[in-house]
């Protein structure tokens, strides 16, 4: 099945919220990690989201090019082709984009999708994220409102972040403190600015103690009840039950019961990067250490081509990442929920 159409993506998100499950959103940086993510979703019989960050897009363009739009476009073109071979529906997304990179990343990609839609094609990406966590909430929402109008023209879903995710990702670092919790007032201000779908569809990454990076289970102090408080407040004001489609960032180190509670409160997308990076790299390290004499030409020997062939260790890496995607689907209750 090809990459999700705007209509299919909307149905995916609606089904997830109604069914109290979420889609793993897997960050990829290469054709190998993309193929592994697709296999993982297929093995789990789950639809899903595959995304690329600003750093990942730059990396995909080539080390001497370092152009985010080139890398993201190449990734999307490849994904549109290879995804046809899998019995799941997958949406393409761009991850965290701060203010200083909007004109070099999200806005040009939106323009590409708008042109494609004008020509009767599907958008290149199904959703883009604007990360306004580093600017005041009023400015964050003002920019979000502008971007939502542009996204709607290209049949794109906008993701925004209201609040701050702690830790570091792609060079953006935030302290771990009380700012990690979005307030009810912030949630109400967001809906006042962006509406509830009439101006365009969006997802909200509201923060409830989330932290990017590597943390042991239990070390991240999550308060999923923050999501319920905001959903309830917005719902009461506008007469709707769970009106917001929410996103969970910084989930590494989260306890399963906390993740599941967040799903109950309207989370439909959960970003997974740190854990899948390790799942991809760990089998490679194992292969290299076990086959030291084969992958290196030690003491004048010739090594073993079957062991240093990138496909040999690449297949192991892909299998590791795919297995972690299957596990993520199980955690997020999306296993077996693919659209027929």
């Amino acid at each position: 099945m090809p990459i999700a159409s705007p209509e299919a993506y909307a149905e995916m998100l609606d089904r997830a919220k109604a069914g109290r499950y979420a889609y793993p959103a897997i960050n990829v940086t290469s054709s190998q990690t993309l193929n592994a993510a697709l296999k993982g979703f297929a093995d789990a019989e789950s639809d899903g989201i595959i995304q690329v960050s600003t750093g990942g897009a730059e990396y995909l363009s080539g080390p001497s090019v370092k152009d985010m739009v080139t890398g993201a476009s190449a990734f999307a073109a490849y994904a549109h082709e290879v995804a046809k071979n899998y019995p799941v529906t997958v949406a393409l997304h761009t991850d965290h984009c701060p203010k200083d990179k909007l004109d070099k990343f999200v806005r040009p990609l939106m323009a590409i999708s708008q042109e494609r839609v004008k020509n009767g094609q599907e958008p290149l990406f199904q959703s883009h994220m604007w990360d306004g966590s580093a600017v005041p909430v009023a400015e964050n929402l003002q920019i979000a409102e502008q971007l939502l109008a542009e996204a709607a023209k290209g049949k794109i879903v906008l993701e925004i972040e209201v609040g701050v995710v702690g830790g570091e990702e792609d060079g953006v670092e935030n302290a771990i403190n009380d700012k990690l919790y979005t307030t009810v007032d912030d949630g109400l201000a967001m809906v006042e600015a962006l509406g509830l779908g009439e101006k365009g569809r969006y997802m909200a990454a509201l923060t409830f103690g989330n932290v990017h990076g590597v943390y042991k289970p239990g070390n991240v102090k999550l308060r999923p009840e923050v999501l319920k408080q905001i959903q309830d407040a917005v719902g009461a004001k506008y007469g709707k039950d769970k009106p917001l489609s929410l996103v969970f960032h910084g989930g590494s180190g989260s306890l399963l019961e906390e993740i599941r509670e967040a799903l109950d409160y309207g989370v439909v997308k959960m970003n997974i990067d740190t854990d899948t990076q390790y799942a991809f790299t760990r089998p490679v390290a194992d292969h290299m250490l076990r086959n030291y004499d084969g992958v290196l030409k030690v003491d004048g020997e010739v090594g073993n081509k079957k062991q240093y062939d990138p496909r040999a260790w690449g297949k192991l890496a892909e299998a590791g990442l795919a297995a972690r995607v299957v596990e993520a689907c199980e955690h997020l209750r999306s296993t077996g929920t693919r659209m027929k």
Side-chain angles (χ1 to χ4, degrees):
M1 184 178 292
I3 298 295
S5 65
E7 295 76 18
Y9 193 28
E11 182 180 348
M12 283 172 58
L13 300 178
D14 289 342
R15 283 163 55 105
K17 187 160 64 169
R20 297 191 173 192
Y21 62 87
Y23 298 106
I26 308 300
N27 280 69
V28 301
T29 55
S30 65
S31 60
Q32 283 187 301
T33 49
L34 167 62
N35 287 332
L38 287 169
K39 183 180 187 303
F41 285 126
D43 288 348
E45 296 187 351
S46 170
D47 301 319
I49 299 170
I50 298 178
Q51 60 191 24
V52 61
S53 66
T54 55
E58 184 179 273
Y59 180 80
L60 279 158
S61 74
S64 63
V65 178
K66 295 185 177 181
D67 181 82
M68 294 181 289
V69 173
T70 296
S73 298
F75 152 75
Y78 184 80
H80 275 266
E81 190 60 36
V82 296
K84 296 175 183 177
N85 300 304
Y86 293 87
V88 291
T89 304
V90 177
L92 304 182
H93 176 79
T94 61
D95 202 8
H96 292 269
C97 182
K99 182 180 177 180
D100 65 340
K101 293 182 179 178
L102 283 173
D103 289 340
K104 302 174 184 176
F105 191 50
V106 165
R107 288 191 174 109
L109 290 172
M110 281 189 177
I112 291 172
S113 286
Q114 288 171 358
E115 188 62 28
R116 287 169 61 96
V117 169
K118 284 182 184 177
N119 294 331
Q121 299 172 284
E122 303 287 8
L124 188 64
F125 283 84
Q126 285 62 61
S127 52
H128 295 292
M129 183 189 178
W130 147 236
D131 183 353
S133 61
V135 302
V137 172
E139 182 183 1
N140 180 354
L141 296 178
Q142 182 182 33
I143 294 173
E145 189 172 8
Q146 296 167 354
L147 291 172
L148 185 60
E150 294 302 311
K153 293 177 185 176
K155 297 183 178 181
I156 299 161
V157 176
L158 182 69
E159 179 184 330
I160 70 167
E161 183 171 313
V162 180
V164 176
V165 176
E168 187 273 336
E169 182 175 59
D170 264 5
V172 178
E173 187 168 359
N174 293 302
I176 300 174
N177 54 37
D178 288 342
K179 293 182 179 180
L180 304 187
Y181 303 94
T182 307
T183 67
V184 169
D185 287 344
D186 290 340
L188 291 169
M190 175 186 72
V191 177
E192 181 70 25
L194 304 183
L196 287 174
E198 67 275 10
K199 295 182 179 181
R201 183 148 191 165
Y202 67 94
M203 297 181 283
L206 305 181
T207 58
F208 52 105
N210 320 56
V211 179
H212 287 136
V214 184
Y215 296 87
K216 291 182 179 179
N219 283 7
V220 177
K221 306 303 180 185
L222 293 180
R223 290 171 47 202
E225 67 271 14
V226 168
L227 303 181
K228 184 178 188 303
Q229 291 165 4
I230 296 172
Q231 286 276 33
D232 288 349
V234 174
K237 182 173 180 178
Y238 294 91
K240 295 185 177 182
D241 179 48
K242 280 200 305 188
L244 302 174
S245 294
L246 303 179
V247 181
F248 188 159
H249 287 203
S252 298
S254 303
L255 299 175
L256 182 58
E257 55 263 35
E258 295 172 331
I259 293 172
R260 293 276 174 83
E261 186 179 353
L263 303 185
D264 292 340
Y265 300 150
V267 166
V268 297
K269 172 180 180 280
M270 179 173 170
N271 289 11
I272 301 174
D273 187 17
T274 301
D275 289 350
T276 47
Q277 286 179 349
Y278 183 76
F280 185 83
T281 301
R282 179 64 179 80
V284 179
D286 183 71
H287 176 83
M288 298 302 175
L289 292 172
R290 289 178 182 274
N291 299 287
Y292 183 84
D293 292 344
V295 298
L296 295 178
K297 297 182 179 181
V298 180
D299 296 331
E301 294 298 326
V302 296
N304 185 335
K305 185 179 184 301
K306 291 184 178 179
Q307 292 175 354
Y308 62 72
D309 184 334
R311 290 170 294 184
W313 49 265
K315 290 176 183 177
L316 299 174
E318 290 182 38
L321 195 157
R324 184 61 184 84
V325 172
V326 170
E327 182 183 2
C329 292
E330 292 172 354
H331 288 171
L332 299 182
R333 302 177 181 149
S334 70
T335 302
T337 63
R338 69 180 178 88
M339 295 191 293
K340 306 299 184 183

